[in-house]
Amino acid sequence: MPAIALIPTDIETSRLGLRARLSEMIDDANVLEHTVRRAASISRVQKIVLIHPPGQNPMSLIDLTRLKINKPVVTHMDAGGLSDKLTSRWVTARKWAQPHWRGGLGGATCYDELLPPGPLAEALRAHGGRTALIVRADWCLFDPNYADKQLDMLYEDVKAMKMIFTQTPPGLSGIAASLEILEQLRDGPAGFGDILAYDPVHPHIDPVGRDVNCAIPPQVRDTVERLVYDTPRSIEMIQKVAEHLGGKLQDASADEITQTCRAIRSDDPSMVYRWLPRMVTLELTPRRSVSGPITPHHHVTFDRPDIDTELAIRIVQQLGEEDSGGDVTLMLGGLGDAMLHPQWERIVSAAKEAGVLSIGIETDLLCDKQDLEKLLKSPIDLIKVRFNADTGETYQKVMGRDGYGQALNNIEWLYNERIRRAGEGTIAKGAMPWLVPSMVKTAQTLPELESFFDKWTHYMGHALIEPACEGCGLMPAMSPVPMQPPGRTGCLQVARRMSILSDGMVAQCDQDWLGRAPMGDTRTMTLVEIWRSSESLAKAHDEQRWNELTICGGCVEWHRP
């Protein structure tokens, strides 16, 4: 049974909302040509269809004769511009898990970046196909051999399988899907994440352990790298891979590409400091309106002031610059409730204007309706609400005040109001911003953990269970059981996250609550300068010298990603 390669192609804008770079050259071809050429090499593919928004002509970027492609390459215009009412939600979900194939908000996978399903189903039906291999135009390194295996598996029983995925890093594999599943997703409406993620209403075995997963080598699966040609960070890696392969990129497999990525990082460990980390937390204030035993504020006095508004604006402006990597997500929160800062709206607006990829805010949501209105008017993508309980009784015990009812009423108002403002016919799971209730896992909250997680996952699409942290000994251990593995390794956080305190100091990590081992001062240094100066910290962890560091020796959170 022949298949069709469906390639969503927007020559102006990438899926993450950045400038598309499909015309840029890699070795002997541009990005789009690489993708098309790989699609044409899939033995089961009989035709390639480029699905594009109105007013675009992706064929203008392709020289089929030079590429020696002997399969039909045609276009299909989507009047909806490759977007539907779920698109902004899925795109935002993926921004917080860019280098991982899954793990985004609501269980979003890299395959949700291929959606919406409507144009895919329409194009597949219009061109007489029943099965498709789907990749985006900037997935120029996807493995055609994996695609053949996926299609073979799909054809064994199309009705039972409906789709076949892999666990490759984003960009190294497409997804094989039937027309039936695409139409089901369209009519749902839903995404691949809805199928592959945990559903408390219809629990099922993790699809990773089922026949719909095309098994791949662990060295490929375990590579943490975004290999999509869209952000400056990922583009740099793809170009370096091409250089290392010396003209052999065209036929390189996923295994060869991931091996090359590891070799590049091994040869140049400082490469990780070329760009800022993808996740940056900015503490606007250390203050919270709760101080129960589950909070650091019950055990520690934080006497630093709210961040100076102009300093905060200078910081967020740097996160949107090209030197940041172009893919930084910003969480306003840290130890405090960001909404207690008198100028939080202005700082959020400045971050949006600067081009920060995605903006979140952490809050206890113990505020009045006027502040809730401000939340929905601001360009915030994610509101993380610190509930830490599923009943009023437990809330008062762990948070130190009677606030559960107010927080619950407030999040319900946000849930309903965002749907109303989105317009008639908007479904709940398509509304923005994301609302994510969170709970710290302790002995006191453990009895309510399952009900909390299932309830909020059902209503909001995502809920967060967080570990009980100690701030490197600043508060007692509250975790029901020790979570750290028996054998210590280097901390992953030091090279993946940046935590900025309200006094402008960059903490060593999110456990350095008092800034006892600061990496730099944002009042006198740029974020890039501070980040590059922290390379010695990561080196100390790589060399297992954490006991020589101010706060690392006694830390029990080193295992967190």
Side-chain angles (χ1 to χ4, degrees), residues 4-10 14-16 35 49-53 78 81-84 86-87 90-92 94 101 108-123 132-140 142 150 163-166 168-178 181-182 185-186 190-193 196 226-228 230:
I4 291 177
L6 299 178
I7 305 179
T9 306
D10 188 332
S14 76
R15 182 77 293 182
L16 296 184
T35 306
V49 181
L50 308 181
I51 311 170
H52 63 90
D78 172 43
L82 298 179
S83 181
D84 67 5
L86 292 183
T87 299
W90 284 122
V91 169
T92 296
R94 284 300 303 159
W101 80 269
T109 71
C110 62
Y111 304 113
D112 293 294
E113 298 180 32
L114 303 171
L115 303 177
L120 301 174
E122 178 187 331
L133 188 287
I134 313 167
V135 295
R136 281 194 70 85
D138 49 9
W139 292 20
C140 53
F142 84 93
Q150 290 171 265
M163 69 178 198
I164 303 292
F165 68 93
T166 77
T168 65
L172 287 191
S173 174
I175 191 167
S178 67
I181 193 66
L182 293 176
L185 293 177
R186 177 198 62 196
F192 291 117
L196 298 175
R226 182 174 178 85
L227 292 165
V228 178
D230 55 0

Side-chain angles (χ1 to χ4, degrees), residues 267-283:
D267 293 343
D268 183 11
S270 65
M271 184 180 176
V272 70
Y273 297 95
R274 167 72 176 86
W275 314 99
L276 294 179
R278 286 188 175 96
M279 299 187 68
V280 173
T281 297
L282 176 59
E283 180 187 84

Side-chain angles (χ1 to χ4, degrees), residues 176-438:
S178 67
L179 176 60
E180 180 183 0
I181 193 66
L182 293 176
E183 291 180 335
Q184 288 178 1
L185 293 177
R186 177 198 62 196
D187 298 339
F192 291 117
D194 289 305
I195 299 174
L196 298 175
Y198 169 71
D199 182 354
V201 177
H202 303 101
H204 55 74
I205 298 173
D206 189 338
V208 165
R210 295 166 55 197
D211 291 341
V212 293
N213 176 21
C214 178
I216 59 174
Q219 64 268 24
V220 177
R221 180 196 63 210
D222 297 338
T223 300
V224 180
E225 201 77 61
R226 182 174 178 85
L227 292 165
V228 178
Y229 204 93
D230 55 0
T231 72
R233 189 194 314 267
S234 57
I235 288 171
E236 179 188 45
M237 177 56 80
I238 291 173
Q239 291 286 3
K240 283 184 176 292
V241 167
E243 293 172 9
H244 275 66
L245 292 176
K248 298 179 180 179
L249 183 69
Q250 174 183 339
D251 301 315
S253 67
D255 194 4
E256 292 169 323
I257 290 168
T258 52
Q259 284 185 35
T260 304
C261 288
R262 290 192 293 274
I264 290 170
R265 294 205 177 277
S266 177
D267 293 343
D268 183 11
S270 65
M271 184 180 176
V272 70
Y273 297 95
R274 167 72 176 86
W275 314 99
L276 294 179
R278 286 188 175 96
M279 299 187 68
V280 173
T281 297
L282 176 59
E283 180 187 84
L284 300 189
T285 174
R287 295 181 290 121
R288 290 178 72 176
S289 56
V290 294
S291 59
I294 205 171
T295 70
H297 301 68
H298 185 81
H299 309 273
V300 183
T301 298
F302 301 101
D303 57 2
R304 55 181 174 266
D306 293 356
I307 195 168
D308 176 76
T309 301
E310 297 306 319
L311 173 61
I313 290 174
R314 290 201 303 273
I315 290 171
V316 300
Q317 286 174 338
Q318 294 175 62
L319 299 179
E321 294 175 354
E322 188 85 355
D323 282 350
S324 73
D327 53 3
V328 174
T329 56
L330 169 65
M331 179 61 77
L332 300 173
L335 287 171
D337 184 336
M339 292 183 66
L340 295 180
H341 191 284
Q343 295 293 319
W344 69 266
E345 287 179 279
R346 186 181 169 200
I347 297 167
V348 169
S349 296
K352 182 66 174 180
E353 292 171 4
V356 175
L357 190 66
S358 193
I359 306 166
I361 191 167
E362 285 183 293
T363 176
D364 297 308
L365 208 61
L366 300 173
C367 56
D368 56 28
K369 187 177 178 181
Q370 183 179 7
D371 285 325
L372 297 180
E373 294 270 3
K374 293 177 181 178
L375 274 175
L376 290 188
K377 289 180 181 178
S378 65
I380 289 175
D381 302 311
L382 165 62
I383 302 172
K384 176 186 170 186
V385 184
R386 294 159 163 166
F387 267 102
N388 294 324
D390 205 33
T391 64
E393 181 182 2
T394 299
Y395 188 96
Q396 186 155 14
K397 287 180 180 178
V398 301
M399 299 286 269
R401 62 170 285 185
D402 180 14
Y404 182 76
Q406 182 183 7
L408 184 63
N409 289 336
N410 283 344
I411 199 170
E412 288 179 349
W413 185 89
L414 288 173
Y415 176 84
N416 292 314
E417 185 66 10
R418 64 180 186 162
I419 298 172
R420 187 189 69 80
R421 295 187 183 194
E424 186 177 352
T426 299
I427 61 172
K429 68 180 181 180
M432 287 289 289
W434 280 87
L435 301 175
V436 179
S438 69

Side-chain angles (χ1 to χ4, degrees), residues 29-40:
N30 65 40
V31 174
L32 179 57
E33 288 176 328
H34 275 285
T35 306
V36 171
R37 186 163 57 187
R38 283 179 172 259

